[in-house]
Amino acid sequence: MRATPRLTAMWFVRFARTVVAVWLLHAGAHAAPTEPVLTHFPQPGLDADQLGVIVNDDDPDSVAIAAYYQEKRAIPAANLIHVRFKPGRSTLGREEFVNLKRLVDRNTPNTVQAYALTWAQPYRVDCMSITSAFAFGFDPAYCASSCKPTQPSPYFNSSVARPYAVYRMRPTMSLAAASVAEAKKLIDRGVASDGSNPAGTAYLVSTTDKNRNVRAAGYASVRALMQSVMPTEIVEANALENKPDVMFYFTGLAQVPAIDSNRFLPGAIADHLTSAGGVLFGGGQMSSLRWLEAGATGSYGAVVEPCNFPAKFPVPGIVMAHYLQGETLIETYWKSVQMPGQGIFIGEPLARPFAGIHHDARDGGLSLSARLFAPGLYNIQAAPSMIGPYRNIGRLSVAWGTHQIRLDHVPPAYYRFERRADPVPAQ
């Protein structure tokens, strides 16, 4: 595993010649910098212009949540999509939903790649979760009447940045809360998380519940993969208690005790593998809403019996990998579930705590650091001025686990990176 990619001597010779050529072409037109300057390094992540917000105009709480979210996230007015249906029900019928979805599709700008719902009820459409129904359209292939697998998501563990453009599906997340006040707190946590790069810990909790603890079989691999990027602890207990730095919390229980004793950092993700966590109100198991009420920013739960297929629940290592690379909560969570048809995603979709590349130029070199770089092949481009023209002067391969890149002995110029390849993150 390479932590710090560097330039080769041969690469540097070609690099220097190209930079000199660029300077000669524009001699006298612009003043070259006195040291290397980074102008752009691509990071994944949807933005407010790419998120559609669906609001139920017959539900005053939905209207209030949508207005607050639009203000806090600067959602374009054209991205607010208005529908009308009777609120306060757990389930929408298939026919009613199909009509709603047709209206939503007709009024959604082509630039929108994902949806936010501004209600907690309904959370189900017939045999699908409402977030999967809005993402894929209603399709019985995403349902199962007994312990069987369902249609997989093409978005699973992908590096695709624009899911609608590639797969014609829009990942959907519900800004779910028991009240407008709770929804505002959730939104505020998501906004506060942006670029905060929190010094938190990932807790992988292995419980005594054999049927619901199936994800624990992969915990050791997750810790080995992620420990160098973020502190990752395996906790053998039915409860995590009095932790001040929870960034990730994965467990398997029907009822999770003591969650209020912990402090969840802004942007935190937490969920419990069980049969009915997505039954947000009135169920016999702990509602996934409890995680948000305790301070998490995102959670997930099944709305109909999924059985204990790990593929129907978030894969902890994939959640962590995508989030730490700078993707938003909605992208991260959706990419972590292979069969999401029976599960609802709840939280603040645009929360993005690990965005941002830090860079420093000194001693004739340029260093870049991030919690985790997206692996792939990047073009490196240089120009004598910030406005260009930029020319390709080499390539850099970034491996999984890279959190620092250093370019040694580079001439003063303006540099930017463009990603060429999008490999699947390691699991």
Side-chain angles (χ1 to χ4, degrees):
M1 184 182 296
R2 293 185 302 162
T4 310
R6 294 176 182 269
L7 301 179
T8 65
M10 181 75 69
W11 191 97
F12 172 69
V13 171
R14 294 197 300 270
F15 170 94
R17 286 175 179 169
T18 306
V19 171
V20 170
V22 172
W23 286 342
L24 290 176
L25 283 172
H26 295 272
H30 304 283
T34 58
E35 60 184 15
V37 177
L38 178 69
T39 61
H40 173 67
F41 193 101
Q43 270 193 303
L46 294 173
D47 60 33
D49 291 342
Q50 297 171 300
L51 185 70
V53 177
I54 304 176
V55 52
N56 179 8
D57 288 337
D58 284 347
D59 181 350
D61 286 358
S62 175
V63 173
I65 292 167
Y68 190 78
Y69 194 53
Q70 181 185 19
E71 175 190 354
K72 290 296 181 177
R73 282 298 188 187
I75 306 291
N79 287 18
L80 261 65
I81 301 156
H82 296 267
V83 296
R84 287 186 178 276
F85 60 87
K86 181 181 177 181
R89 296 172 285 161
S90 64
T91 305
L92 281 179
R94 182 185 312 192
E95 183 176 347
E96 183 179 11
F97 175 78
V98 168
N99 291 330
L100 283 174
K101 183 66 162 57
R102 190 177 295 121
L103 174 65
V104 167
D105 289 344
R106 192 164 56 241
N107 292 322
T108 300
N110 286 333
T111 53
V112 167
Q113 300 295 315
Y115 289 132
L117 308 180
T118 54
W119 61 80
Q121 291 192 94
Y123 48 79
R124 174 176 166 177
V125 176
D126 198 282
C127 56
M128 289 181 74
S129 75
I130 198 165
T131 52
S132 290
F134 270 108
F136 300 118
F138 184 84
D139 185 344
Y142 291 98
C143 304
S145 59
S146 60
C147 291
K148 296 178 181 178
T150 65
Q151 178 78 16
S153 166
Y155 195 47
F156 173 66
N157 201 22
S158 77
S159 53
V160 166
R162 295 189 301 152
Y164 181 71
V166 176
Y167 298 126
R168 312 308 286 179
M169 54 85 71
R170 291 183 170 103
T172 303
M173 180 169 278
S174 175
L175 283 159
S179 67
V180 173
E182 285 294 324
K184 288 181 176 180
K185 291 178 184 177
L186 170 63
I187 292 166
D188 289 345
R189 287 197 299 275
V191 173
S193 78
D194 289 356
S196 59
N197 195 27
T201 298
Y203 293 98
L204 312 176
V205 180
S206 180
T207 73
T208 58
D209 189 328
K210 183 179 178 180
N211 290 332
R212 297 179 176 88
N213 197 41
V214 290
R215 291 188 295 186
Y219 283 175
S221 296
V222 174
R223 181 173 60 183
L225 183 70
M226 304 305 304
Q227 185 65 38
S228 65
V229 183
M230 166 171 277
T232 303
E233 296 185 15
I234 298 174
V235 179
E236 295 187 2
N238 285 341
L240 185 72
E241 298 184 73
N242 302 314
K243 300 297 183 182
D245 62 346
V246 179
M247 193 66 216
F248 300 97
Y249 183 164
F250 301 103
T251 188
L253 278 178
Q255 303 285 345
V256 185
I259 61 175
D260 290 317
S261 72
N262 302 293
R263 176 175 173 260
F264 292 86
L265 302 181
I269 292 173
D271 63 56
H272 59 308
L273 189 153
T274 193
S275 296
V279 177
L280 300 182
F281 299 94
Q285 299 181 352
M286 189 183 93
S287 166
S288 295
L289 276 180
R290 286 287 298 115
W291 293 109
L292 304 189
E293 292 164 357
T297 305
S299 192
Y300 176 90
V303 302
V304 293
E305 176 60 67
C307 300
N308 63 347
F309 286 89
K312 295 184 179 183
F313 292 89
V315 179
I318 296 177
V319 176
M320 294 173 65
H322 284 281
Y323 216 30
L324 292 165
Q325 286 169 197
E327 296 186 20
T328 60
L329 176 61
I330 189 170
E331 295 167 280
T332 290
Y333 236 173
W334 261 91
K335 290 180 180 182
S336 77
V337 184
Q338 187 176 12
M339 299 177 185
Q342 297 168 284
I344 184 170
F345 297 87
I346 61 175
E348 199 281 281
L350 295 178
R352 196 174 171 215
F354 299 102
I357 302 291
H358 302 283
H359 62 278
D360 182 45
R362 64 178 66 184
D363 302 325
L366 181 64
S367 63
L368 296 74
S369 62
R371 184 62 71 94
L372 192 63
F373 285 100
L377 188 64
Y378 294 80
N379 280 338
I380 303 180
Q381 302 175 337
S385 81
M386 290 188 70
I387 61 173
Y390 284 86
R391 304 288 179 88
N392 287 337
I393 49 80
R395 297 175 185 173
L396 184 68
S397 179
V398 175
W400 163 257
T402 299
H403 49 265
Q404 185 177 47
I405 297 171
R406 180 166 176 81
L407 310 181
D408 289 322
H409 308 297
V410 293
Y414 292 94
Y415 296 96
R416 71 183 184 189
F417 291 67
E418 295 296 338
R419 194 174 182 196
R420 288 172 49 88
D422 295 318
V424 173
Q427 295 187 31

